[in-house]
């Protein structure tokens, strides 16, 4: 449909499929090197022959400094992209407020189920949920706390 391999009307992956692909591709691969620690400036290896220090192919040379420099800029951009993709794919270390609330809810629900409360009773009764869930603040309480901590 287009020249750049993007099919607008093609099959879209769900979030679960993207996560499954990411988990399958992770494996035991080593993380890419930090591009800040790499050197992409060309080095003259012999008169009129330039090479990048980070080049993995030892037989790849460039005839001019400008050609080698352009390839170094491209290699640096690719290394930054790969490293950013790796860092963005890492699981976040800090939990969001929603994740903490969800964990508290699931822990309270598990405690209730372990004491013999049925899932139907849990879903229907606010009193049962209140007995097992931690106290939550209302929007007004949160707003007053925010105003107190603002200054």
């Amino acid at each position: 449909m287009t020249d750049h391999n993007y099919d607008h009307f093609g099959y879209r992956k769900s979030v679960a499929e993207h996560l499954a692909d990411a988990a399958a591709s992770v494996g035991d691969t080593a993380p890419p090197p930090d591009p800040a620690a790499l050197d992409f400036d060309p080095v003259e290896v012999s008169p009129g022959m330039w090479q990048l220090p980070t080049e993995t192919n030892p037989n790849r040379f460039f005839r001019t400094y400008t050609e080698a420099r352009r390839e170094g800029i491209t290699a640096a951009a690719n290394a930054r992209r790969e490293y950013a993709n790796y860092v963005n794919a890492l699981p976040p270390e800090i939990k969001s407020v929603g994740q903490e609330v969800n964990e508290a809810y699931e822990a309270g629900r598990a405690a209730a189920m372990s004491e013999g409360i049925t899932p139907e009773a849990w879903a229907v009764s606010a009193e049962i949920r209140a007995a097992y869930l931690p106290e939550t603040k209302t929007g007004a309480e949160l707003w007053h706390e925010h105003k107190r901590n603002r200054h």
Side-chain angles (χ1 to χ4, degrees), residues 89-102:
L90 293 175
E93 299 171 1
I94 300 172
K95 293 181 182 175
S96 68
V97 175
Q99 288 172 326
E100 292 175 0
V101 169
N102 189 37

Side-chain angles (χ1 to χ4, degrees), residues 27-73:
D28 292 331
T29 59
D34 186 1
L38 299 176
D39 182 22
F40 296 101
D41 291 328
V43 176
E44 191 170 16
V45 292
S46 66
M49 298 295 279
W50 297 84
Q51 192 175 31
L52 295 175
T54 57
E55 182 61 57
T56 56
N57 181 359
N59 298 321
R60 187 164 185 219
F61 299 99
F62 301 95
R63 291 180 182 259
T64 64
Y65 174 81
T66 306
E67 184 183 349
R69 191 175 138 271
R70 286 183 184 148
E71 190 62 31
I73 292 169

Side-chain angles (χ1 to χ4, degrees), residues 104-105 107-113 115 117 121-122 124-136:
Y105 178 84
R109 188 172 191 273
M113 298 301 146
E115 293 182 9
I117 295 175
W122 174 266
V124 172
S125 174
E127 292 83 14
I128 292 176
R129 289 192 303 272
Y132 289 97
L133 295 178
E135 287 292 322
T136 58

Side-chain angles (χ1 to χ4, degrees), residues 81-92:
R81 183 182 307 114
E82 285 180 24
Y83 190 73
N85 289 343
Y86 167 76
V87 169
N88 291 339
L90 293 175

